[in-house]
Amino acid sequence: MHSKNEGVLLIIGGNEDKAGDCTILKKFVELAGERKARIAILTTATELPEEVGREYQTIFNQLGAEQVDIIHIADRLQASEKQIGHSFAEYTGIFFTGGDQLRLTSILGGSTVNQEIVAGFKRGAVIAGTSAGASVMSQIMIVGGDSSETPKKSSISLAQGMGLLECVVIDQHFAQRGRINRLLAIVAQNPNVLGIGIDEDTALLVKGNKCSVIGSQTVTIVDGRAILHSNISESSRFEALAITNVKLHILPYGFGFDLCTRIPYEKDR
Amino acid sequence: MHSKNEGVLLIIGGNEDKAGDCTILKKFVELAGERKARIAILTTATELPEEVGREYQTIFNQLGAEQVDIIHIADRLQASEKQIGHSFAEYTGIFFTGGDQLRLTSILGGSTVNQEIVAGFKRGAVIAGTSAGASVMSQIMIVGGDSSETPKKSSISLAQGMGLLECVVIDQHFAQRGRINRLLAIVAQNPNVLGIGIDEDTALLVKGNKCSVIGSQTVTIVDGRAILHSNISESSRFEALAITNVKLHILPYGFGFDLCTRIPYEKDR
């Protein structure tokens, strides 16, 4: 079991469609209970919380959810207060906007709000996040790093994420920002970690060990378990890495992936 | 046997060091015979033939080669003339500058010059090319294609290359321009083709089936032979591709690769 419990994660690679079919956001509302959904939008990651929060609120309302709260938590004091004007217990869907993943973890990490989110997930709520909000889902989180470079140690910058998903590392805006090399370098550090790169307007839906891809682009899976050579321990920070025998899967809509067996499969569309 | 004969190919990912150690260009001069080298610089790919040609001429002279000719062939008439003022038979090293690979093939393809280059290669000359000059080496050649995108058919644009290397496709400026997805799409079309992505200031030295990496960055090998799923035949031009079970190797200086067995190995440095 990679995800710790019965909740569902909807991990979005950023820049999801908000004007057309809204495939991904519609799926979020559906999973949260449609008309009966009780949705919280967490705007902590962004520096435009009012604007971004209201945009998602409008969309979720249009997609049929009646109760959609925007929750602005801008500092640790707010995150740690017992009363933030909302009880998280009631939410069936929690949505993290994009922005800066380090804002999310540095403000929410270890707080009451963080605990309530994890508790909500354990109760079966759907937790969705886009862009920075996607990165925080895993135990280890990519903070930054040069993407258009040969893999090397200097392209790795990690922090602890929210830990809703174990043994994976998530990258977003993946193909669009050419981020495979930083993901390869992270996987080479410990091939037990599965690399998941999610393209824009694409999401990975995770329930237990089963994942499925939705949206218009693809999810790249970097499986390093079979790596034979890796010089990452002895290489210097700026030296080019050697990594051999990485297994790669490119999965569009209609494909699933088992986090436990690490095997992709085609689903009934 | 992938390469057809006894010549050596030095396939450079572009932007090779010209001011410092000149590792790659020095290797070219060494392979061509050092002081006894007879080098031809073919400037057909570039639109700045005088400038680019003279820059390489100066460097090759500084690196110890005495006879370095710049050969400007700007159209098919020149390429097909029996006499272009030079007999290719004497050259021990032929260097293709960067520029546009379609200029190279559309001007040289099927010409006398082309035949003389292949003949030179068969006699044992070293054929080097950087950037566009690298792309033309293989039988199928990448002409263009969007690189910062999810793999899809529309990201593939191919033409026939000079064919000095069979069953591979070469991409250059690889990590720097985030080109893995277009290479994956090409390999998915026919997994018998081995994808070789060469970073800037990096080169693959090929002799028979044996390759070695030199330079400061890495060579990415995309081996699709084990691909299980691929929807490339039924997908539409702009649909995201599914490709599973691709094997990937990232090889820096000190690593070798066997084109026949498709196995990477560490060399004595």
Side-chain angles (χ1 to χ4, degrees):
Chain A
M1 285 288 287
H2 277 71
S3 76
K4 289 172 175 167
N5 35 62
E6 292 311 307
V8 173
L9 299 176
L10 185 66
I11 315 174
I12 310 167
N15 204 17
E16 68 284 351
D17 175 37
K18 298 181 191 70
D21 288 343
C22 300
T23 310
I24 295 169
L25 299 179
K26 192 184 281 176
K27 174 60 85 175
F28 171 65
V29 172
E30 182 192 318
L31 290 166
E34 305 209 83
R35 202 173 59 78
K36 291 181 180 167
R38 296 184 301 281
I39 290 174
I41 298 167
L42 268 94
T43 57
T44 302
T46 176
E47 295 191 12
L48 299 165
E50 298 286 340
E51 193 180 322
V52 172
R54 250 190 313 258
E55 184 183 20
Y56 280 111
Q57 189 179 43
T58 304
I59 294 171
F60 294 149
N61 283 150
Q62 283 168 351
L63 291 171
E66 287 175 8
Q67 189 195 326
V68 182
D69 300 331
I70 302 170
I71 301 181
H72 296 310
I73 298 171
D75 57 42
R76 287 191 65 80
L77 188 65
Q78 290 172 12
S80 297
E81 279 173 0
K82 281 282 174 202
Q83 295 303 323
I84 52 163
H86 300 271
S87 164
F88 272 78
E90 65 182 291
Y91 291 118
T92 58
I94 296 170
F95 188 93
F96 289 95
T97 69
D100 176 359
Q101 50 265 51
L102 265 189
R103 266 184 67 83
L104 270 174
T105 55
S106 64
I107 291 173
L108 299 184
S111 70
T112 312
V113 169
N114 197 151
Q115 290 162 25
E116 295 221 24
I117 291 164
V118 174
F121 180 54
K122 289 191 176 172
R123 271 193 318 273
V126 50
I127 315 289
T130 186
S131 191
S135 288
V136 296
M137 300 269 184
S138 52
Q139 269 185 330
I140 60 164
M141 171 180 94
I142 299 176
V143 174
D146 198 348
S147 42
S148 62
E149 279 293 334
T150 290
K152 48 190 76 158
K153 275 185 192 160
S154 59
S155 55
I156 303 177
S157 174
L158 297 173
Q160 175 145 348
M162 290 191 53
L164 299 172
L165 200 57
E166 293 175 355
C167 284
V168 311
V169 65
I170 291 160
D171 211 346
Q172 15 80 4
H173 300 280
F174 192 69
Q176 290 70 29
R177 300 192 186 167
R179 288 176 161 174
I180 187 152
N181 280 340
R182 74 183 196 186
L183 195 58
L184 283 167
I186 292 164
V187 168
Q189 286 188 314
N190 183 344
N192 196 42
V193 172
L194 186 77
I196 299 179
I198 306 177
D199 288 355
E200 293 182 358
D201 192 34
T202 306
L204 196 68
L205 180 65
V206 185
K207 187 165 171 60
N209 294 318
K210 300 293 184 190
C211 302
S212 31
V213 178
I214 63 171
S216 65
Q217 306 298 310
T218 61
V219 172
T220 299
I221 306 280
V222 176
D223 179 0
R225 272 206 194 137
I227 284 176
L228 284 179
H229 286 97
S230 156
N231 64 352
I232 196 154
S233 62
E234 63 264 32
S235 72
S236 67
R237 247 181 91 69
F238 296 99
E239 199 177 329
L241 288 185
I243 314 169
T244 71
N245 260 49
V246 175
K247 194 183 280 183
L248 200 71
H249 311 293
I250 310 278
L251 308 177
Y253 166 69
F255 277 76
F257 187 79
D258 188 310
L259 290 172
C260 198
T261 62
R262 294 193 171 189
I263 294 175
Y265 49 90
E266 198 162 359
K267 299 176 60 154
D268 295 331
R269 293 205 183 191
Chain B
M1 284 289 286
H2 278 70
S3 76
K4 289 173 174 164
N5 35 63
E6 292 312 308
V8 173
L9 299 175
L10 185 66
I11 314 173
I12 310 168
N15 204 17
E16 68 283 352
D17 176 37
K18 298 182 191 72
D21 287 343
C22 300
T23 310
I24 295 169
L25 299 178
K26 191 184 280 175
K27 174 61 81 175
F28 171 65
V29 173
E30 181 192 317
L31 290 166
E34 305 210 83
R35 203 173 56 78
K36 292 181 180 165
R38 295 183 302 281
I39 291 174
I41 299 167
L42 267 94
T43 57
T44 301
T46 177
E47 296 191 12
L48 298 166
E50 298 287 339
E51 194 180 320
V52 172
R54 251 192 310 262
E55 184 184 20
Y56 281 110
Q57 188 179 44
T58 304
I59 294 170
F60 295 148
N61 283 151
Q62 282 167 351
L63 291 170
E66 285 174 11
Q67 187 195 327
V68 181
D69 300 332
I70 303 171
I71 301 182
H72 297 308
I73 297 171
D75 56 41
R76 287 191 66 80
L77 188 65
Q78 290 175 14
S80 296
E81 278 173 0
K82 282 279 177 205
Q83 295 302 324
I84 51 163
H86 300 272
S87 163
F88 273 78
E90 65 181 290
Y91 292 117
T92 59
I94 296 170
F95 188 92
F96 289 95
T97 69
D100 175 358
Q101 51 265 50
L102 265 188
R103 266 183 67 83
L104 269 173
T105 56
S106 64
I107 292 173
L108 299 184
S111 70
T112 312
V113 168
N114 197 154
Q115 290 162 25
E116 296 223 21
I117 291 165
V118 174
F121 180 54
K122 289 190 173 170
R123 273 195 316 274
V126 49
I127 314 289
T130 186
S131 191
S135 288
V136 294
M137 300 269 184
S138 51
Q139 268 184 332
I140 60 164
M141 170 179 95
I142 299 175
V143 173
D146 199 347
S147 42
S148 62
E149 279 293 332
T150 289
K152 49 190 75 158
K153 274 184 194 163
S154 60
S155 55
I156 303 177
S157 175
L158 297 174
Q160 176 145 347
M162 291 192 51
L164 299 173
L165 201 55
E166 292 175 355
C167 284
V168 310
V169 64
I170 291 160
D171 211 346
Q172 15 81 2
H173 299 280
F174 192 69
Q176 289 72 29
R177 299 191 187 168
R179 288 176 160 173
I180 186 151
N181 281 340
R182 74 182 198 187
L183 195 57
L184 282 166
I186 292 164
V187 169
Q189 286 188 315
N190 183 344
N192 197 42
V193 172
L194 186 77
I196 300 180
I198 306 178
D199 288 354
E200 293 182 357
D201 192 33
T202 306
L204 196 69
L205 180 65
V206 185
K207 189 168 170 56
N209 293 317
K210 301 292 184 190
C211 302
S212 32
V213 178
I214 62 170
S216 65
Q217 307 298 311
T218 61
V219 172
T220 298
I221 307 279
V222 176
D223 179 359
R225 272 207 194 138
I227 284 176
L228 284 180
H229 286 96
S230 158
N231 65 351
I232 196 151
S233 61
E234 65 263 32
S235 72
S236 66
R237 247 180 92 70
F238 296 98
E239 200 178 328
L241 288 185
I243 314 168
T244 71
N245 260 48
V246 175
K247 196 184 278 183
L248 200 71
H249 310 292
I250 311 278
L251 308 177
Y253 166 70
F255 277 76
F257 187 79
D258 188 309
L259 290 172
C260 199
T261 63
R262 295 194 170 189
I263 295 175
Y265 49 89
E266 199 162 359
K267 301 176 59 155
D268 294 332
R269 294 205 186 192

